[in-house]
Amino acid sequence: IKNPLAGIRGAAQLLQNRVGNDHSALEYTTVMIQEIDRLSHLLEQLLQLSAGPPPELLPVNVHKVLTDVLLLEQETAGGVQIQTHFDPSLPEILGDEAQLAQVFRNLIKNSLQALAGQRGGLLRISTRMATDFHLVRSLLASPSSLAEDGRPGLKRTVLQKGSEPKTARLATRHGRFLVIDFADNGPGIAPEHLPRLFTPFFTTKNQGTGLGLAISQRIITQHGGRIRVESSLGQGALFHVYLPVPSA
């Protein structure tokens, strides 16, 4: 499919170069190219979801990845305030920098879209260590669960099921996870939508494909981690990204 699309795009560009001052034809060819690019992007997402390259695990400074992503995403923040609270003592992890950047970018974009047009919109990104063995063991339990959370304002939490790679088992045994929290004060997520958030093609957005969170979940699982989300209507959303820290 990608090869014919590339041919159609090339033909549309050639046609656009020949229409001259015909503004209607120029407008039509521009729309053609934009829609072809949209299809190509969707195909790329489908390829990432279905197979996707395995992560190239190298030492990664999570704060550097987050800072680089924010440098670009802040341009589209509108009136949303973005706060960062990074723990400078956190160690490096083993990860694929490009894939992790894709996950962080997707979560930040989701929050910014949820906060669009909202007065006093706030996105808070923080990092910390999770060292409680029981918390980590519960987080990596095999069954998917939908349970009540005792914290006020964020009443429901969902944990996505996935394979448990060797890195995850090691991190469970040692109880060392680096956690990145993405918290916004947006409209929150309806309870009936929470169990389906990471399901491919599920979306509540008019222009969404429903693949971003599914791909993000797959990437984090391949890194031996998990994504957890807490939310209730009117109380914002909080996404936790757990990444294993290799033992010394």
Side-chain angles (χ1 to χ4, degrees), residues 53-219:
E56 185 179 353
L57 301 180
L58 297 171
V60 172
N61 183 319
V62 167
H63 295 154
K64 177 184 180 301
V65 180
L66 285 167
T67 300
D68 291 344
V69 171
L70 283 171
L71 186 63
L72 297 176
E73 295 304 321
Q74 282 178 331
E75 297 297 322
T76 61
V80 177
Q81 182 183 2
I82 300 178
Q83 295 180 355
T84 57
H85 300 269
F86 295 163
D87 181 349
S89 67
L90 294 185
E92 290 186 330
I93 63 166
L94 291 178
D96 187 308
E97 186 169 329
Q99 290 189 8
L100 292 176
Q102 181 180 358
V103 173
F104 300 156
R105 187 178 299 111
N106 183 66
L107 293 175
I108 292 170
K109 282 185 174 181
N110 283 353
S111 291
L112 294 180
Q113 289 171 359
L115 294 168
Q118 176 178 309
R119 187 174 182 182
L122 173 65
L123 170 59
R124 185 177 185 271
I125 304 172
S126 57
T127 59
R128 57 190 171 88
M129 284 293 294
T131 55
D132 187 290
F133 175 80
H134 298 290
L135 169 66
V136 177
R137 184 175 60 181
S138 173
L139 177 70
L140 293 179
S142 58
S144 294
S145 62
L146 180 66
E148 293 296 322
D149 188 271
R151 296 202 298 165
L154 293 171
K155 297 181 179 179
R156 298 185 69 83
T157 175
V158 61
L159 172 66
Q160 284 303 117
K161 170 173 77 171
S163 59
E164 188 174 327
K166 181 179 179 181
T167 51
R169 294 196 297 271
L170 288 175
T172 306
R173 188 157 59 244
H174 294 285
R176 300 187 71 230
F177 270 73
L178 186 152
V179 189
I180 307 103
D181 296 323
F182 300 82
D184 68 62
N185 63 346
I189 303 167
E192 62 270 22
H193 293 161
L194 277 172
R196 303 176 61 192
L197 277 185
F198 297 89
T199 303
F201 302 109
F202 174 76
T203 181
T204 59
K205 305 173 187 175
N206 293 332
Q207 300 295 326
T209 63
L211 292 174
L213 284 177
I215 292 171
S216 297
Q217 194 263 344
R218 181 190 61 76
I219 289 173

Side-chain angles (χ1 to χ4, degrees), residues 23-43:
H23 296 292
S24 294
L26 184 62
E27 182 180 356
Y28 295 148
T29 53
T30 299
V31 170
M32 289 168 60
I33 293 172
Q34 289 175 346
E35 293 303 303
I36 291 168
D37 288 342
R38 198 156 67 92
L39 279 174
S40 295
H41 179 64
L42 177 59
L43 282 172

Side-chain angles (χ1 to χ4, degrees), residues 44-55 99 215 218-219 222:
E44 290 292 341
Q45 289 184 305
L46 286 170
L47 289 171
Q48 288 180 327
L49 183 65
S50 61
Q99 290 189 8
I215 292 171
R218 181 190 61 76
I219 289 173
Q222 285 190 324

